[in-house]
Amino acid sequence: MTSESFATKQLRLSPKEIISSPILGGVTVYASGTNRVSDVQAAVAAGVPIGVDVSRLSDRAIEEILASSLPVLIDSGAFSEVSIRDGRIEIASPISNGEWKRRLAIYLRIARAFSAKPGATSVARVTVVAPDRVGSQQITLDRLTQFRSEMQEVHVAGADIVVPLQVGPLPLAEFYAAAATVIGFTIVPGMPMKKAATTPAAALQFVQQIRPKRIHLLGMGITNRNAEPLIRALQHVRPGIHISLDSNRIRAGVGRHRIITRKEHHYGIELAEGWTGALDLRPWGGSIHDMTDAIFQPSLWLTGTALHEFTASLTWLTERDRKAFLADPEGFLTVEENANDWMYQSLMDAYYSYVRGRTRASARVRAVSETLDESKIGGQVQARRLISY
């Protein structure tokens, strides 16, 4: 059977079969868009490889990624640099050289941190997407040349480097050879599957010619009707190939009437109901909040701008008393006349606002983790650390 007829036969899978069937062996699926702290925690709990946009990561999110034991795909964010208008690619938000250097420094930070950690996964612990320009082979090669030393450092730290094989005047095999020569080490070919997309036939022909050990399908979800037929065809022509792919599973579930948003709203209400007692949010990335212990220890939960705003709201106090509260909340409240009903009600209101913020974060973790776990991509990796207690 030819590879073409094999691929055609696989296209006969029904949508129900594609969604319900398990992920094929030799395949890793990243949940891209996992940029928020709560979403990283949710992916860890669901055992789903993490996919992030380096341009959108906070320091807290980076620390959460480093605390996990999951494989991570770090995208450069170059996809957002362009837009498609009337079928043509236009530059929407150009990335400066300084911004590229900032993003690549984060690549190196994460790669070095993971290189010191043991791990037994079927794919590299860290995979990064090299600097490129969607739809332009020449600018992609220029960027690979410009940032070659930075990418070599990331590679030496143990990361796999995906180079998107842009469609252009060079055939994919020739462009791959040129990119590998420029960057100076073995790269993972990345096939763009959305903007300036690679056709399945071109991807199949490339694998037949080059026979890489690993290939990455950029922006193709596992439930895409073309994904599994393409994967089966690629595995047929190149037995033993490791195929990875990514799509934004979180964004797909967010919005009015969508699953994550509905779950998040429900759990936000449910978790907040116990706010006047001991509220245990540890299963969803939070901690224990006990109002009985916390209400007269505001420095534990009322800090920064919130503390200053709360102090300013104590209008029945003199300016001198407000300054005393601001300087030492607990000390101020040890004076019996200061811990009156007005103060108690104000503390209750402020504490409720604080706990609602914590429950919203935990509701997000619970909603996303359940959604990922119940999806086709859930449980791919047995995480060592689920949610930190």
Side-chain angles (χ1 to χ4, degrees):
M1 182 185 298
T2 66
S3 59
E4 184 177 357
S5 62
F6 182 87
T8 302
K9 182 178 179 181
Q10 297 310 305
L11 284 170
R12 295 171 186 165
L13 289 170
S14 70
K16 183 177 180 181
E17 287 175 318
I18 291 170
I19 292 172
S20 62
S21 62
I23 294 175
L24 296 170
V27 176
T28 298
V29 185
Y30 299 91
S32 57
T34 314
N35 304 312
R36 293 165 50 167
V37 172
S38 56
D39 293 344
V40 173
Q41 293 175 329
V44 172
V48 177
I50 300 165
V52 299
D53 179 341
V54 71
S55 69
R56 300 176 182 273
L57 286 182
S58 66
D59 282 339
R60 281 193 61 214
I62 292 172
E63 292 301 325
E64 200 65 41
I65 290 169
L66 297 181
S68 78
S69 60
L70 295 178
V72 58
L73 170 71
I74 315 174
D75 186 59
S76 69
F79 189 78
S80 301
E81 189 179 31
V82 304
S83 61
I84 305 295
R85 182 173 296 178
D86 298 327
R88 301 180 62 182
I89 295 176
E90 295 186 356
I91 307 305
S93 182
I95 304 171
S96 68
N97 288 342
E99 176 59 15
W100 272 118
K101 287 183 177 293
R102 186 191 74 82
R103 297 182 188 188
L104 299 183
I106 297 174
Y107 279 11
L108 185 58
R109 174 185 171 187
I110 295 175
R112 283 178 171 169
F114 272 75
S115 68
K117 295 182 175 184
T121 59
S122 59
V123 71
R125 294 288 299 281
V126 179
T127 300
V128 306
V129 180
D132 72 314
R133 166 66 65 77
V134 174
S136 175
Q137 291 182 339
Q138 186 56 56
I139 295 179
T140 296
L141 291 174
D142 290 344
R143 286 179 169 174
L144 292 177
T145 301
Q146 182 176 2
F147 300 110
R148 174 168 44 208
S149 61
E150 287 88 347
M151 296 314 301
Q152 286 175 341
E153 282 189 285
V154 176
H155 178 66
V156 169
D160 273 1
I161 312 297
V162 172
V163 174
L165 302 187
Q166 304 298 340
V167 176
L170 292 177
L172 290 184
E174 290 184 30
F175 180 67
Y176 169 81
T181 298
V182 166
I183 207 165
F185 53 81
T186 301
I187 58 176
V188 175
M191 299 293 174
M193 305 307 290
K194 293 184 76 174
K195 294 177 183 176
T198 312
T199 66
L204 196 58
Q205 182 182 40
F206 172 84
V207 168
Q208 285 177 310
Q209 289 178 301
I210 303 301
R211 303 187 66 77
K213 292 182 178 180
R214 180 185 176 189
I215 190 172
H216 185 81
L217 306 177
L218 290 153
M220 174 175 271
I222 192 65
T223 56
N224 182 305
R225 64 187 180 87
N226 295 319
E228 191 161 318
L230 177 57
I231 289 169
R232 289 182 181 275
L234 291 170
Q235 291 177 332
H236 178 71
V237 301
R238 175 64 170 99
I241 189 174
H242 192 100
I243 301 168
S244 54
L245 56 162
D246 70 281
S247 68
N248 199 321
R249 297 302 309 148
I250 295 175
R251 184 173 59 194
V254 172
R256 189 177 181 185
H257 304 311
R258 294 188 179 183
I259 185 64
I260 290 176
T261 299
R262 287 191 285 110
K263 283 177 175 283
E264 193 174 350
H265 176 72
H266 171 75
Y267 290 137
I269 295 172
E270 179 182 294
L271 293 173
E273 289 176 351
W275 75 277
T276 56
L279 182 61
D280 188 356
L281 301 178
R282 292 178 299 174
W284 305 288
S287 55
I288 295 177
H289 304 279
D290 192 333
M291 193 193 79
T292 303
D293 295 334
I295 196 70
F296 289 112
Q297 299 181 63
S299 63
L300 297 177
W301 50 272
L302 194 59
T303 59
T305 301
L307 174 60
H308 283 80
E309 291 177 349
F310 176 81
T311 303
S313 74
L314 305 177
T315 54
W316 66 88
L317 296 179
T318 64
E319 183 177 354
R320 179 180 178 181
D321 284 345
R322 288 197 294 272
K323 287 182 178 180
F325 178 85
L326 186 63
D328 182 11
E330 278 81 8
F332 185 84
L333 294 173
T334 58
V335 178
E336 186 175 351
E337 63 185 37
N338 292 337
N340 54 37
D341 289 344
W342 286 1
M343 176 63 78
Y344 184 75
Q345 186 59 53
S346 295
L347 287 169
M348 288 275 284
D349 292 343
Y351 180 75
Y352 176 74
S353 296
Y354 164 77
V355 170
R356 281 293 289 129
R358 307 287 80 72
T359 57
R360 278 193 291 269
S362 289
R364 172 77 177 197
V365 173
R366 187 173 180 181
V368 174
S369 64
E370 283 188 2
T371 302
L372 291 176
D373 190 52
E374 293 164 0
S375 74
K376 184 166 182 170
I377 67 175
Q380 292 180 69
V381 182
Q382 183 63 46
R384 286 191 180 82
R385 171 188 144 176
L386 296 181
I387 299 298
S388 55
Y389 276 59

